[in-house]
Amino acid sequence: MFELAVELLQRLDSDEPVAVVTVTRVLGTAPRPVGCSMAVVATASGERVLGAISGGCAESSAHALARQVLASGGPVSEHLGFDEWAFSTGLSCGGQLRVLGYRLEADRTDLIAELRAAAEGLDAALAIVSRGPDELLGRVVTLTGGDAALPAGVLGVVRKELAERLVDGRCSVIELSGDLELAVLVSRARPRLLIFGAVDVAGALSRLGRQLGYRVTVCDARALFATADRFPDADEVVVDWPARYLAGTSVDVRTVIAVLTHEERFDVPLIVAALTGPAGYIGAMGSRRTHLRRLDLLRAAGVSAEALARLHSPIGLDLGAATPMETAVSIMAEVIAARTGSAARPLAQGSGPIHAVVAPA
């Protein structure tokens, strides 16, 4: 749901009826995770569909469920499984989905507040009753609020789970007694992509990074090159000595640092500083010869072998990239592989499910 936050709020502000269908549980293998949603908007000129729940497999079923919700107004829980009925909906990937359809209305203040936080790029989290008594279906709990209709003992358990999921960024499912189930949906604040070096690849990388959900900063000590006009997709363009800027800005385990300058006077102090921090990915551009010379300089600067093992250099996966955008794709592909622990080999060379197998919570 949170991936549609901006569009959903726009429709809500326009007083257009909106029904949302959200994946509340995944059993087995499926292309989309818990929390992803499709919305159907009733506009003056007809229907508009936003988002998807299955990458194509079950969109017709989601659309039909959303239309049902628009007509009835009440929430509806459905199960999409791999059986005879599933074949008619096109869900042939082998997994099973539970989905919840519900109206998005202005009086759902707790839900709307979390949508607004997500739309602004801030942390957002809520739990929604996805299975249980009809009178509780679709009720929402947040870190600071909770539907009065829910049992008092539920709120503490759910809020503890919400706080934990905001740390690791994972959606989850809570099963409680009485056949009560809540889907925990989270959206972390945008992670940072720090690009050092106002070069041509930086422009492509900032564009791709923004599309992938990063808050992008381009930093270079040369004011002539580090301008907002040259990097319109960056959230900020900073003129500063790279190592000095890095020392004074916020970095966490989700931060990506891309060093594109391949000038030793910038690179070495910057990489030394980066390797002492918690950034999840640190990559540096340069040829293999440049990389070997840079390693010698970093060792001379006192960087340990353990720290050097965190450095991705030469930066990116070997995709045969030639253009700036192709190079940006190779860099972000390596970032994704590093984050997920993937071997980054062609899917055709692997075996087993293409999508992650999600065990029941």
Side-chain angles (χ1 to χ4, degrees):
M1 178 183 63
F2 289 127
E3 77 275 18
L4 301 177
V6 173
E7 292 177 291
L8 290 177
L9 290 169
Q10 289 172 347
R11 299 301 168 183
L12 191 67
D13 292 341
S14 299
D15 293 325
E16 294 173 324
V18 181
V20 182
V21 176
T22 297
V23 175
T24 58
R25 190 152 190 176
V26 175
L27 302 173
T29 176
R32 302 295 307 280
V34 168
C36 68
S37 298
M38 171 192 282
V40 174
V41 184
T43 70
S45 58
E47 289 183 349
R48 182 175 180 187
V49 176
L50 310 172
I53 66 163
S54 68
C57 300
E59 309 312 331
S60 294
S61 294
H63 176 251
L65 182 60
R67 296 188 72 182
Q68 177 184 339
V69 170
L70 281 174
S72 68
V76 181
S77 179
E78 281 283 9
H79 181 95
L80 307 183
F82 190 70
D83 53 24
E84 291 182 3
W85 178 73
F87 280 113
S88 69
T89 69
L91 188 63
S92 57
C93 58
Q96 301 179 61
L97 302 179
R98 289 183 190 157
V99 298
L100 179 70
Y102 49 96
R103 285 282 293 262
L104 183 64
E105 296 176 306
D107 62 354
R108 307 194 67 172
T109 54
D110 287 341
L111 189 154
I112 300 303
E114 297 304 315
L115 276 177
R116 294 201 185 281
E120 294 170 9
L122 306 175
D123 283 345
L126 63 84
I128 189 166
V129 178
S130 54
R131 190 170 60 161
D134 289 344
E135 65 272 16
L136 296 183
L137 203 61
R139 305 281 185 163
V140 165
V141 179
T142 68
L143 282 171
T144 57
D147 198 298
L150 289 168
V154 169
L155 299 182
V157 173
V158 174
R159 287 188 182 129
K160 181 176 183 294
E161 180 76 6
L162 284 170
E164 292 176 354
R165 296 291 73 81
L166 268 176
V167 172
D168 62 26
R170 294 189 300 109
C171 296
S172 63
V173 179
I174 304 174
E175 287 186 334
L176 300 170
S177 60
D179 200 31
L180 186 63
E181 186 172 287
L182 292 92
V184 176
L185 315 180
V186 298
S187 176
R188 298 290 307 277
R190 288 194 295 161
R192 301 193 70 188
L193 169 57
L194 305 180
I195 303 171
F196 293 96
V199 297
D200 54 355
V201 173
L205 187 59
S206 64
R207 187 176 313 121
L208 184 57
R210 187 181 184 91
Q211 291 173 341
L212 290 173
Y214 286 86
R215 180 162 60 93
V216 180
T217 298
V218 176
C219 176
D220 197 299
R222 302 166 297 177
L224 180 64
F225 298 102
T227 66
D229 288 344
R230 294 190 69 222
F231 302 100
D233 296 292
D235 293 277
E236 60 178 349
V237 179
V238 176
V239 179
D240 200 350
W241 197 268
R244 181 169 61 194
Y245 173 75
L246 182 61
T249 197
S250 60
V251 174
D252 61 25
V253 295
R254 301 165 69 219
T255 300
V256 172
I257 296 175
V259 182
L260 308 182
T261 47
H262 48 78
E263 286 191 36
E264 291 168 0
R265 60 187 178 126
F266 294 125
D267 291 0
V268 173
L270 173 60
I271 295 172
V272 169
L275 290 173
T276 62
Y281 176 93
I282 303 164
M285 181 171 282
S287 66
R288 299 189 190 281
R289 180 178 299 176
T290 296
H291 169 65
L292 292 175
R293 183 171 64 250
R294 185 190 288 137
L295 286 179
D296 287 340
L297 294 171
L298 290 170
R299 292 189 189 98
V303 179
S304 68
E306 182 181 8
L308 287 176
R310 296 176 56 207
L311 178 62
H312 297 264
S313 178
I315 195 170
L317 296 183
D318 184 5
L319 305 180
T323 67
M325 184 53 76
E326 289 176 346
T327 302
V329 169
S330 79
I331 293 171
M332 294 311 298
E334 186 177 49
V335 168
I336 294 169
R339 187 189 73 228
T340 61
S342 168
R345 65 179 182 230
L347 287 171
Q349 294 180 6
S351 60
I354 292 175
H355 307 291
V357 175
V358 181

